[in-house]
Amino acid sequence: MQLKYQISILAILGIFNVHFLTAQQEENNSVGVEGYKKRVLENTEIDFLSSYYSQEGNNAAVSGGTGTEELTDFTPTIVVSIPLNADDVLTIDAGISAYTSASSSNIDPFDGSGQADPFTASSGASSGDTWANINGTYSHSSNDRNTIWTANASLASEYDYFSVGFGGSFTKLFNEKNTELTLHTKIYLDTWKPIYPIELRAFGENGAGLNDALFQRNSITGNPNYSPQFNEFTDKGRNSYALGLNFSQILSERLQGSLAVDVVSQNGLLSTPFQRIYFADVADSFIQDFQLADAIEQLPDTRFKVAVGGRLNYYLNETFVLRGYYRFYNDDWGIQSHTASLEMPIKLGSKFTLYPSYRYYTQTAANYFAGYEMHQSEEQFFTSDYDLSEFNANQFGFGVNYTDIFTKFNIWSLHLKSIDLRYLYYERNSGLNSGLVSLGVNFVIP
């Protein structure tokens, strides 16, 4: 699930940022002649955003690094930006993510009508769920528009966790707005409601072991002396603290560059409770065609991440712009990664822009990763989540944007400002592949 949310949310935010940041750059000019101060945002704007995501693969972490990763997700979002006065803007965005997942359905593979199998989705209650979030941001700009600060807060909820977030940023522009420096921070306080694989619940604090109804109804094949290594998590909180610094500089009439440094510290329950582990030195036990878990994922309760990246945007001519990006990432779990991407907006007249793009990603494996039945039972930490494995990935994208700064087309009292449609295709060398279609429509309320 983590990969899907990263791709889906970033794509949706990318659509929003194309509109909002461009509008902000156009309107965050300093005080005009004769003392007239232009408003940061002239009118209330509404963005209707949505995405449809699908993926498939054969390394599901829920079933210990093997089994179907098939998943589909639909995410509608609405973003409302309201000018409170000439200097202040309140932005509220809210969205839901409704998904069906063959992988998570196998948290309980025995609750469907068919034969339990890691490569087949169960039709039971765990096959789908809804994630919901709401976020509010307050932004204030100084009279000369050279100082901007923001404060934000967010809430998010899904069937197995609840999250509260808050943060802010401070931006300073120098050198006639050719230089920009931003410091931003975010804190997330999450609470898990741990959901464990169905067969392990019988071995929890109040479980009946092999006398549980699951084992009374079904015969264990393979090793009949099933005895998993399992204890329920006592720490159900996860806290994340992020601090970032961004520096942007206009280098010439055609060239703009930026540098970013981000630091994240996490502590608490960083393991995913429903992800199974199968040990190489433990005999296999099955019910039907589904292998019973030997344990669940165990990861350290702290993690420290550092990322350093840079962007270069070069204006070739009225038709073509080149946008390059690179990021290096490192954490104390042993993962190092490199990301490089190139986008070339192609402007067709005054209203249409095409966005072909390519992104390459590569990472090393976490110290605690091993595939299906490759861990040993005496290890302290273990995961078979392929998001933490060594892999390379390619992403190809294409988008089209329509912008009408005069907002001539109206729907009721809404004036259409822009439409953005994009498609991303993602492929890992481990076999996972996915597709994402995202749509953003921006309206102005005069």
Side-chain angles (χ1 to χ4, degrees):
M1 291 303 300
Q2 181 181 17
L3 170 68
K4 186 279 299 180
Y5 284 129
Q6 287 176 342
I7 294 176
S8 183
I9 292 173
L10 288 175
I12 289 178
L13 292 179
I15 289 176
F16 172 62
N17 287 338
V18 166
H19 143 65
F20 185 74
L21 295 181
T22 300
Q24 194 174 55
Q25 289 169 359
E26 291 173 352
E27 300 184 30
N28 273 4
N29 296 320
S30 58
V31 178
V33 295
E34 300 179 355
Y36 171 74
K37 180 170 65 174
K38 191 170 185 179
R39 297 170 67 89
V40 174
L41 186 65
E42 294 291 344
N43 303 101
T44 297
E45 299 193 3
I46 301 177
D47 289 85
F48 296 100
L49 313 173
S50 63
S51 70
Y52 177 78
Y53 173 88
S54 65
Q55 74 173 37
E56 56 184 24
N58 294 311
N59 298 117
V62 173
S63 44
T66 186
T68 178
E69 296 177 87
E70 183 179 348
L71 179 147
T72 61
D73 174 87
F74 176 65
T75 306
T77 302
I78 184 171
V79 182
V80 182
S81 301
I82 307 168
L84 302 178
N85 50 51
D87 303 324
D88 302 327
V89 176
L90 176 65
T91 301
I92 299 173
D93 63 270
I96 61 173
S97 175
Y99 72 87
T100 58
S101 169
S103 175
S104 66
S105 75
N106 282 325
I107 295 173
D108 183 359
F110 312 111
D111 62 353
S113 57
Q115 185 86 351
D117 188 296
F119 292 95
T120 302
S122 171
S123 58
S126 58
S127 61
D129 196 59
T130 300
W131 170 85
N133 83 299
I134 185 169
N135 182 77
T137 301
Y138 175 82
S139 173
H140 173 78
S141 299
S142 62
N143 284 332
D144 61 5
R145 303 298 187 251
N146 286 328
T147 303
I148 305 167
W149 63 264
T150 70
N152 59 70
S154 63
L155 294 174
S157 179
E158 198 179 358
Y159 73 101
D160 62 345
Y161 87 95
F162 179 78
S163 176
V164 176
F166 52 90
S169 68
F170 179 80
T171 299
K172 193 71 176 178
L173 288 85
F174 307 92
N175 189 24
E176 298 181 345
K177 295 182 171 58
N178 290 319
T179 305
E180 182 177 317
L181 189 66
T182 299
L183 179 68
H184 56 89
T185 185
K186 190 76 176 183
I187 296 173
Y188 291 99
L189 306 177
D190 303 342
T191 302
W192 282 90
K193 178 185 176 182
I195 305 295
Y196 301 105
I198 185 66
E199 68 271 29
L200 295 181
R201 299 173 199 176
F203 297 88
E205 184 177 350
N206 299 311
L210 291 178
N211 293 320
D212 185 82
L214 172 68
F215 304 110
Q216 297 302 308
R217 293 193 308 266
N218 300 278
S219 299
I220 298 177
T221 59
N223 174 22
N225 300 315
Y226 179 55
S227 179
Q229 178 180 308
F230 175 67
N231 290 294
E232 296 180 5
F233 289 112
T234 56
D235 185 357
K236 299 178 182 179
R238 176 182 60 192
N239 301 331
S240 302
Y241 309 92
L243 182 66
L245 181 66
N246 291 31
F247 173 78
S248 178
Q249 177 67 48
I250 296 177
L251 302 171
S252 70
E253 292 182 353
R254 295 176 177 268
L255 186 63
Q256 180 183 21
S258 65
L259 295 173
V261 178
D262 292 286
V263 177
V264 178
S265 177
Q266 294 181 292
N267 62 68
L269 179 51
L270 305 185
S271 306
T272 303
F274 52 74
Q275 295 187 169
R276 292 175 174 87
I277 295 294
Y278 300 116
F279 294 127
D281 57 341
V282 174
D284 299 341
S285 300
F286 296 85
I287 291 180
Q288 299 175 21
D289 293 327
F290 199 93
Q291 186 173 348
L292 305 180
D294 295 327
I296 55 173
E297 179 180 82
Q298 298 285 338
L299 291 168
D301 59 6
T302 62
R303 190 178 186 184
F304 186 75
K305 313 175 186 180
V306 178
V308 180
R311 297 181 183 273
L312 276 178
N313 297 338
Y314 185 73
Y315 176 84
L316 291 173
N317 51 44
E318 293 182 354
T319 303
F320 299 101
V321 176
L322 290 176
R323 295 176 178 172
Y325 172 75
Y326 170 78
R327 187 189 75 157
F328 171 76
Y329 166 91
N330 182 77
D331 68 30
D332 59 358
W333 285 7
I335 293 180
Q336 288 190 352
S337 72
H338 301 269
T339 306
S341 68
L342 183 65
E343 183 180 62
M344 186 175 68
I346 304 170
K347 194 169 182 63
L348 305 177
S350 61
K351 295 185 177 181
F352 288 93
T353 304
L354 305 180
Y355 289 93
S357 65
Y358 171 73
R359 175 180 178 269
Y360 177 76
Y361 178 84
T362 181
Q363 75 171 37
T364 60
N367 298 331
Y368 319 111
F369 172 81
Y372 168 70
E373 289 204 326
M374 295 180 66
H375 283 291
Q376 299 292 320
S377 59
E378 71 271 11
E379 295 175 21
Q380 180 182 7
F381 300 118
F382 31 78
T383 177
S384 292
D385 185 345
Y386 272 71
D387 285 350
L388 301 177
S389 70
E390 179 181 2
F391 67 86
N392 303 324
N394 295 279
Q395 179 178 283
F396 303 90
F398 185 80
V400 58
N401 175 269
Y402 168 83
T403 301
D404 182 2
I405 61 174
F406 299 108
T407 61
K408 295 180 179 179
F409 182 78
N410 302 330
I411 299 178
W412 299 297
S413 61
L414 302 177
H415 293 210
L416 178 66
K417 186 173 182 179
S418 67
I419 301 175
D420 196 289
L421 177 64
R422 302 202 180 198
Y423 174 74
L424 298 174
Y425 175 76
Y426 175 89
E427 186 174 49
R428 284 184 185 175
N429 63 347
S430 63
L432 178 75
N433 61 77
S434 66
L436 173 72
V437 178
S438 55
L439 173 68
V441 183
N442 173 239
F443 292 96
V444 177
I445 301 178

